[in-house]
C-alpha cells in the first residue's frame, strides 16, 4: 500500500506554487491517473489533485464510473473532492494527513453519511511524510 | 432577479440525457457564464452545471477569485458544488428547487458553517418551474 502513497507524495512535490497535494488512482494494482493540486497554476478552484485524477481516470476509461478503483491521496479530501470521489463510485480511499479544517471523510464531517456511501476510508498512511510536505510549504509561504 | 433564473432554466433545458440543471454566473448585471449539467455527456462526475459555470467564468477572467459574482442555479447545489462556490468567493447564490437529498446550502447540510463563509444564499426562486424541470425528467427516465 505504501508504494502507492509514495507515488502520491512524489506527485505532490510537483505542485509548484500550489499547496502540495498529490492523488493517484489505482485499478488492479496499476496507477491509471496521477495528479497534483493545480488551483493556482490553472486558475481553477476545482483543480484539486483528487478532481484532476478522477477526470484523468474517467477520460482513460471513457466512463465516469470508477467502481473498484482505489485512491491514494496525501491529504484528507475536502467536501468538494469527497463528493466527487463518492459519486465516481471509487471503492477505497487511503489518505495521509488528516485535515482538521476541511476534512470531509471523518476529519470535520463525514459525507459518506449523506450519500449513504459504502466507500472504505483509511487515514494516516505515511502520515508524517504527508504532513511534512504541507508544513514545509507553509513555512516557506505562510 | 427572475430574468437570470429564467436564463438558468433555459440553460437547464439543454441538458439532454443528463438531469436538467442550469447555472449562470452574473457580474455587474451581465451573464459571464452559463452551463448545464453534462456528467453523462462528458463522462465526468465533476461536470455539474455549477462547476462548469465556475470554470467558464474563471477562464474568462483569468482568475479563480469570483468576488462579487452572483450565481443563479435551478437546483440547490450538492456538497461538491457548494464547496467550489464558497472557495471561488462567489458572493451570492440564488437557487430554484431545494434538494432534500443532497442539498449543501441548507437543504440537508449547510457547508457555509465549515468554511466560515459569508456567502448569501436564497432558495425558492421560480421554485415551481425549477421543480417541474426535474419532475418531467424523472417521469421520462425514472
Amino acid at each position: 500500500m505504501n508504494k502507492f502513497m509514495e507515488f502520491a507524495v512524489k506527485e505532490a512535490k510537483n505542485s509548484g506554487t500550489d499547496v502540495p497535494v498529490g492523488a493517484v488512482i489505482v485499478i488492479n494494482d496499476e496507477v491509471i491517473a496521477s495528479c497534483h493540486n493545480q488551483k493556482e497554476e490553472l486558475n481553477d478552484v476545482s483543480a484539486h489533485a483528487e478532481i484532476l485524477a478522477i477526470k484523468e481516470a474517467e477520460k482513460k476509461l471513457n466512463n465516469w464510473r470508477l467502481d473498484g478503483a482505489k485512491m491514494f491521496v496525501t491529504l484528507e479530501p475536502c467536501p468538494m473532492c469527497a463528493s466527487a470521489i463518492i459519486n465516481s463510485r471509487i471503492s477505497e480511499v487511503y489518505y495521509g494527513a488528516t485535515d482538521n479544517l476541511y476534512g470531509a471523510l471523518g476529519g470535520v464531517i463525514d459525507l459518506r453519511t449523506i450519500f449513504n456511501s459504502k466507500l472504505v476510508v483509511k487515514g494516516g498512511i505515511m502520515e508524517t511524510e504527508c504532513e511534512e510536505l504541507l508544513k514545509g510549504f507553509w513555512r516557506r509561504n505562510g
Side-chain angles (χ1 to χ4, degrees), chain A:
Chain A
M1 186 186 300
N2 277 18
K3 74 173 175 178
F4 294 122
M5 191 59 88
E6 277 165 15
F7 203 113
V9 167
K10 207 172 159 183
E11 181 64 52
K13 291 177 179 168
N14 297 326
S15 300
T17 54
D18 273 289
V19 179
V21 180
V24 304
I25 295 178
V26 174
I27 296 182
N28 294 331
D29 255 7
E30 195 191 334
V31 173
I32 60 154
S34 175
C35 294
H36 55 274
N37 185 19
Q38 291 186 273
K39 173 181 164 179
E40 300 289 344
E41 190 184 339
L42 300 179
N43 259 325
D44 178 353
V45 287
S46 77
H48 283 188
E50 301 95 311
I51 298 276
L52 294 174
I54 289 171
K55 285 167 78 86
E56 189 171 299
E58 289 170 333
K59 200 170 175 184
K60 208 167 268 182
L61 302 176
N62 198 29
N63 196 336
W64 61 258
R65 298 162 196 81
L66 303 177
D67 301 81
K70 298 177 185 176
M71 178 182 280
F72 295 80
V73 55
T74 57
L75 177 64
E76 182 185 358
C78 74
M80 176 179 74
C81 295
S83 304
I85 290 166
I86 290 167
N87 284 329
S88 75
R89 305 187 185 170
I90 283 175
S91 302
E92 300 173 26
V93 172
Y94 299 92
Y95 68 81
T98 297
D99 189 339
N100 292 316
L101 283 175
Y102 308 117
L105 291 177
V108 180
I109 49 168
D110 193 334
L111 284 181
R112 287 177 295 179
T113 315
I114 291 172
F115 289 101
N116 197 20
S117 161
K118 292 193 174 68
L119 177 72
V120 173
V121 176
K122 190 165 168 15
I125 316 292
M126 291 180 56
E127 194 170 24
T128 311
E129 293 88 331
C130 292
E131 283 179 352
E132 198 45 52
L133 274 173
L134 296 163
K135 284 182 187 164
F137 177 83
W138 292 117
R139 271 194 299 270
R140 294 188 302 276
N141 300 279

